[in-house]
Amino acid sequence: RTHRVTIAGADTPLTVAVDQPILDAALRANAWIPHSCTQGTCGTCKLKILSGEVDHRNSPEYTLTADERDDALALACMATPRSDMVVETLGAVDDGVPHHPLRDYSGTVTELDDIAASTRRLVVELDSDMTFNAGQYCELIVPGSAVGRQYSMANPPSEPRRLEFHIKLTPGGVATDGWIFSTLTVGDPISLRGPLGQFNLVTDQEEAAILIGGGTGLAPLKSIVRHSLDHHLVPELYLYHGGRRQEDLYDIEYFTRLSQRHDNFHYRPALSEETWSGATGLVTDVVLDDFSSCKGMSAYLCGPPPMITAAVKALKRRRMAPRLIFREEFTPAA
Ligand code: FAD
Ligand code: FES
């Protein structure tokens, strides 16, 4: 069974199955609804319901309060239609970036390597090309379940068949402990859906960009760095990768070589719990030491929420405009 959901201002209604989140149907039809986490934890995808009935399913109370439900708001990534509906998006629909339709993909694991402490690189060869923006992510489907988990592409969009992911172990986690770090092996088939998210390189910046990744938060930044350098999109790029000890860092040689080949690319790995030949301290403190002013610059932050909060604070102290601070938070599923 399906219902017709019209996004106010759009010509054609979406056909949405009764058990399908409105966001999923919209992105498959290449109709853009601003979104970030696709799992009900960020609130970016809020819609106003102008007419019709919605099922909020398990939209968390901390993202969508009782008052907001009374005000006819809904989370597009969670809510399914109970009738034909008309909805309005709250965020900007045209953010100036090309959007690519969401699709289901199948592929095969071609590489699975331990690259740092409790961290694996997973490479998937897709059966067909995926068009995406540097910075976006996919949802990997845990076999034999309906569980999907988000992982950012580390490869640039110029490699549309070979997707690279950096995955950190969550002890007891369904996708990581129960699958990627236990039963998954090279040659296994994989199902995923993508691309998702709006963590993108904004290309009209004339000033330098600072990229800060914590742990596997390096993944989308690697894609952005490669894309930017290959197409000369940002005049100056500073990549910071934070970890606790040397065993937490990876791809050091790769980025060192890249910085030797490109005068405008600077790479600064930082360790918070070990003194070594590189920068020592919390990655955000290292950034504060390196820049006396970040006015006019932009930043791309990715990793666990506490790191992002600290980085935003540090950059604002250095006078970076909040609208030029872009972030992807690796929030755990609700
Ligand atoms: P779950 O079964 O979801 O979690 C098990 C338990 O651990 C739960 O109680 C949960 O609340 C808790 N938990 C889970 N994660 C954490 C945490 N970080 N801190 C504290 N408690 C936690 N991860 C990557 O490694 N690489 C990526 O590129 C990546 N990209 C992401 C992109 C987006 C947009 C989002 C939202 C998340 C991303 N993540 C990424 C996180 C990833 O999607 C999973 O949440 C993570 O791998 C844990 O999944 P799991 O099924 O193993 O654990
Ligand atoms: Fe829907 Fe985050 S709550 S995209």
Side-chain angles (χ1 to χ4, degrees), residues 23 34-46 63 75-78 137:
L23 179 68
H35 66 280
S36 180
C37 73
T38 55
Q39 56 174 13
T41 54
C42 76
T44 314
C45 65
K46 273 179 198 159
T63 323
L75 298 178
C77 70
M78 305 298 290
Y137 66 88

Side-chain angles (χ1 to χ4, degrees), residues 4-14:
R4 287 151 63 94
V5 177
T6 306
I7 301 177
D11 301 331
T12 340
L14 305 166

